[in-house]
Amino acid sequence: MIYQYWNERMETLPRAELEAYQLEQLKKIVAVALRTPFYQKRLGEAGIHDADDIRSLADIRRVPFTTKHDLRDGFPYGFLSVPKDEVIRLHASSGTTGTPTTIYFNKEDIARWTNFVARSIYATGCNKTDVFQNMITYGLFTGGLGFHFGGEAVGMLVIPSGAGNTTRQFKLMQDFGTTVVHATPSFLLHVEAKMREEGVMRESLALKRAFAGAEPYSEDTRRRIEALLHIDVYNSYGLSEMNGPGVAFECQTKDGLHIWEDGYIAEIVNPDTLEPVPDGEVGELVLTCLCREASPILRYRTRDLTGFYTEPCSCGRTHRRLRRITGRTDDMLIINGVNLFPSQIEEVIMSIKEVGNNYLIVVEKEGVLDRLTVKTEVGLGIFMDDTRPLNALKERIRKTLQSMITINPRVELHESGSLPVSEGKAKRVQDNRPKDV
Ligand code: DLL
C-alpha cells in the first residue's frame, strides 16, 4: 500500500524528537494554564509555579488530574486564559447532568484543530478530488464544524448536510457524487437499512469511505457497515474537551487509532489507583491538550477505556495507536453483581448475521433481582409471523450472549426499522432500575 501523509515530517518524527517536541509544548501550555485561577491553585499545590518547574516529560505525573466536575464548576469562564476579545468560537457539550462544559478557541486554536482533522482525513487516503458529505449534527457539537473545516482544508468539496433526513441524504449523494461520508456508526447502520427500504441502488452511489465515531462500536459493526455499503470505514475518536474530532484516527491500515502526539499527551491509568497501567494494558485514557491556548486542559480524565498498541504501525507513522474504545468507566452496568459493558453485548449480537442493524439494552428490577433484556431488530427479509425460525434465532442469540457475558438475558426480536433511531449518538441502554439501589 502507498501511504500518504499530510505532514510527513511531523507524522513520522522519530520518537525522541517527538517527545522533545511534546516537552516543549507542555511547558508552554503549563505557562498558559497558570494564567487561570483554577490551575494557579491546582498546580501551585503540586509545586508547579512556572513552566520551568516542568523539566522532563515524566514531570507530567506531578500535574494534578482535571475532571468533568472541575470543568462544570468552572462554567462559564473559569478555564478561559486569553482576553475574551481574542476568542472566536466556543463549543459546548451538555453531558448527562445538563450542566454544560464550554471550550473556547482563538484563531490559532481553530487553525491547529483544523490541521489535525485534515491530517486525520488525509491519513485515510482521501484527497481534494473527494466529495464529502458531513452527515452529523452541526452546532455546539464539535463533529459538524470540526470535520467541515478539516474537509475544506484538505480541499474536498464539503456538503454540510447535517444529520437526519435519509431521503435527502441519498438525493445529495446521487446529485453530487459523494465519495465519503461522516456519521455516527448507528446512523450509518440506519442509512443502510433505509437505503434498502427506499430501493436506493448501491450502484447509483459513488461512495468509497466513511468516518465513523463519536460513540463506541465494535469491530463487527464496522465489518457489517463495510460489507453492506461496500466501503471502508475508519474509526474516528475525539471529545469536546480536547477540541472535538481529530484527536485519534485510523490510517489506511485500519488497525488502531493514531493519537496525534504533537497535539496531545496520552496516558493510560488504572481508574481506581490512577497509576499508569503496564504498556499495552487497558485502562482509562488521560489526555493533555497541547494545541489550544484559549481553554487549556491538563491531564483530563476522559473515562474512556482503551490501551496502547505496543507494535509500531506499518504506515510508518511514529504516533502511537490506541485500541478501539470499548466503553467508558461510567457506562458500565452492574447486573446482579456482574460488571458488563454495553459494547460486550454489541460484539455478540452484531456477529450474528440474521440480527438487524439496531438494538436496545433494557435493565429492570424484578423483585430483588436485576433483569437484562436485549431487544434486537431482525434483518430485512426475515418475517415476524414465521415463528419457528424466529424462536430458533432468539434461542441462538440468548445462548451466545449467555456464554459470553455469563448473564442469562431475555431476548426480544423486533421488526426491522421498529426500534427508536437516533441521528446523533445512539442511546442503547435503558436502565429502569430505581436509582437508590
Ligand atoms: O463525540 C467528538 C467527536 C465528533 C468524535 C465526531 C468523533 C467524531 P463529545 O460529544 O464530547 O465529543 O463526546 C466524547 O464520545 O469521551 C467517548 O466516550 C465517545 N467517543 C467519541 N469517539 C468515539 C469512538 C465527540 N470512536 C465522547 N469510539 C468520548 C468510542 C467514542 N467512543
Side-chain angles (χ1 to χ4, degrees):
M1 197 184 294
I2 298 165
Y3 298 107
Q4 59 179 34
Y5 309 99
W6 183 245
N7 179 341
E8 183 163 358
R9 175 160 162 68
M10 219 16 151
E11 289 170 55
T12 61
L13 206 60
R15 290 293 311 173
E17 283 179 54
L18 185 53
E19 285 169 17
Y21 180 83
Q22 283 188 311
L23 175 59
E24 198 184 301
Q25 298 304 308
L26 177 63
K27 290 175 77 133
K28 275 192 198 158
I29 210 69
V30 163
V32 168
L34 281 165
R35 293 183 207 147
T36 66
F38 173 83
Y39 279 120
Q40 233 170 54
K41 181 163 180 293
R42 277 286 174 91
L43 292 170
E45 283 163 2
I48 302 169
H49 304 283
D50 71 71
D52 287 334
D53 289 327
I54 302 285
R55 291 184 196 91
S56 71
L57 258 194
D59 276 346
I60 195 163
R61 292 188 51 199
R62 293 174 48 213
V63 173
F65 294 101
T66 305
T67 62
K68 187 101 180 165
H69 193 79
D70 295 325
L71 299 183
R72 291 211 171 108
D73 280 352
F75 180 82
Y77 291 120
F79 284 77
L80 183 66
S81 60
V82 297
K84 259 194 222 162
D85 63 1
E86 281 181 22
V87 173
I88 62 162
R89 199 192 303 163
L90 65 78
H91 280 282
S93 72
S94 65
T96 40
T97 69
T99 320
T101 56
T102 315
I103 302 298
Y104 302 96
F105 299 81
N106 66 18
K107 212 169 170 177
E108 293 74 34
D109 295 337
I110 292 286
R112 281 186 286 257
W113 176 28
T114 299
N115 187 54
F116 284 117
V117 181
R119 183 195 283 183
S120 306
I121 292 175
Y122 205 70
T124 67
C126 290
N127 61 41
K128 68 192 283 291
T129 63
D130 278 291
V131 178
F132 171 45
Q133 196 161 318
N134 198 13
M135 305 195 300
I136 211 150
T137 314
Y138 278 65
L140 290 175
F141 178 59
T142 54
L145 287 178
F147 267 89
H148 185 100
F149 275 55
E152 285 186 354
V154 169
M156 309 195 286
L157 167 57
V158 182
I159 309 175
S161 63
N165 199 341
T166 43
T167 308
R168 196 170 116 253
Q169 302 282 6
F170 298 138
K171 180 91 174 57
L172 289 168
M173 286 179 197
Q174 287 166 331
D175 287 347
F176 302 109
T178 301
T179 56
V180 50
V181 291
H182 170 220
T184 55
S186 48
F187 189 63
L188 283 176
L189 284 169
H190 175 62
V191 162
E192 191 279 327
K194 279 283 176 198
M195 242 172 95
R196 280 185 285 161
E197 204 179 298
E198 296 185 18
V200 175
M201 301 302 286
R202 174 63 183 87
E203 303 74 57
S204 69
L205 307 177
L207 272 191
K208 286 193 289 209
R209 296 184 177 83
F211 312 131
E215 64 185 13
Y217 60 115
S218 63
E219 191 57 40
D220 275 313
T221 299
R222 183 230 294 268
R223 285 203 209 103
R224 178 180 279 244
I225 302 171
E226 292 192 323
L228 290 169
L229 288 172
H230 309 289
I231 54 173
D232 283 303
V233 173
Y234 297 87
N235 195 356
S236 142
Y237 170 80
L239 58 162
S240 335
E241 295 80 1
M242 296 290 128
N243 295 331
V247 174
F249 222 93
E250 283 183 331
C251 66
Q252 282 155 289
T253 60
K254 293 195 292 188
D255 187 17
L257 303 101
H258 288 281
I259 170 135
W260 302 127
E261 293 183 87
D262 50 334
Y264 304 92
I265 295 180
E267 302 165 78
I268 312 270
V269 303
N270 175 318
D272 299 322
T273 63
L274 300 180
E275 289 300 318
V277 300
D279 210 21
E281 279 185 23
V282 171
E284 179 180 340
L285 178 65
V286 171
L287 291 172
T288 297
C289 188
L290 300 174
C291 55
R292 191 182 57 230
E293 192 186 0
S295 316
I297 300 187
L298 311 176
R299 294 198 94 198
Y300 182 64
R301 289 191 59 186
T302 65
R303 303 276 172 190
D304 291 324
L305 294 168
T306 181
F308 287 120
Y309 278 63
T310 47
E311 295 293 305
C313 185
S314 56
C315 75
R317 288 180 180 82
T318 48
H319 300 239
R320 284 178 297 175
R321 285 171 298 156
L322 295 175
R323 295 180 188 288
R324 183 175 284 282
I325 288 92
T326 47
R328 297 171 51 79
T329 51
D330 47 8
D331 68 20
M332 188 177 76
L333 294 164
I334 303 180
I335 295 175
N336 297 324
V338 178
N339 295 352
L340 176 71
F341 286 100
S343 60
Q344 292 173 274
I345 295 182
E346 170 168 329
E347 220 173 290
V348 172
I349 57 183
M350 283 296 154
S351 66
I352 300 174
K353 72 173 190 321
E354 294 88 345
V355 167
N357 287 354
N358 202 357
Y359 69 93
L360 189 66
I361 297 164
V362 182
V363 192
E364 283 153 325
K365 250 315 180 227
E366 256 180 25
V368 289
L369 290 180
D370 299 323
R371 191 54 154 138
L372 171 71
T373 306
V374 178
K375 303 182 178 191
T376 79
E377 288 183 2
V378 293
L380 279 176
I382 297 182
F383 298 104
M384 294 306 288
D385 40 12
D386 211 352
T387 46
R388 280 229 343 244
L390 277 187
N391 284 338
L393 174 60
K394 210 152 105 174
E395 189 50 18
R396 183 144 61 90
I397 298 172
R398 191 193 61 75
K399 274 201 180 135
T400 321
L401 275 171
Q402 189 178 15
S403 70
M404 299 302 286
I405 63 176
T406 71
I407 297 166
N408 185 12
R410 193 179 283 156
V411 174
E412 277 180 22
L413 297 181
H414 292 256
E415 206 167 328
S416 174
S418 64
L419 290 176
V421 194
S422 153
E423 291 164 2
K425 298 183 193 242
K427 291 189 182 54
R428 302 287 199 194
V429 180
Q430 259 178 27
D431 193 341
N432 299 333
R433 289 175 291 187
K435 289 288 167 270
D436 55 339
V437 282

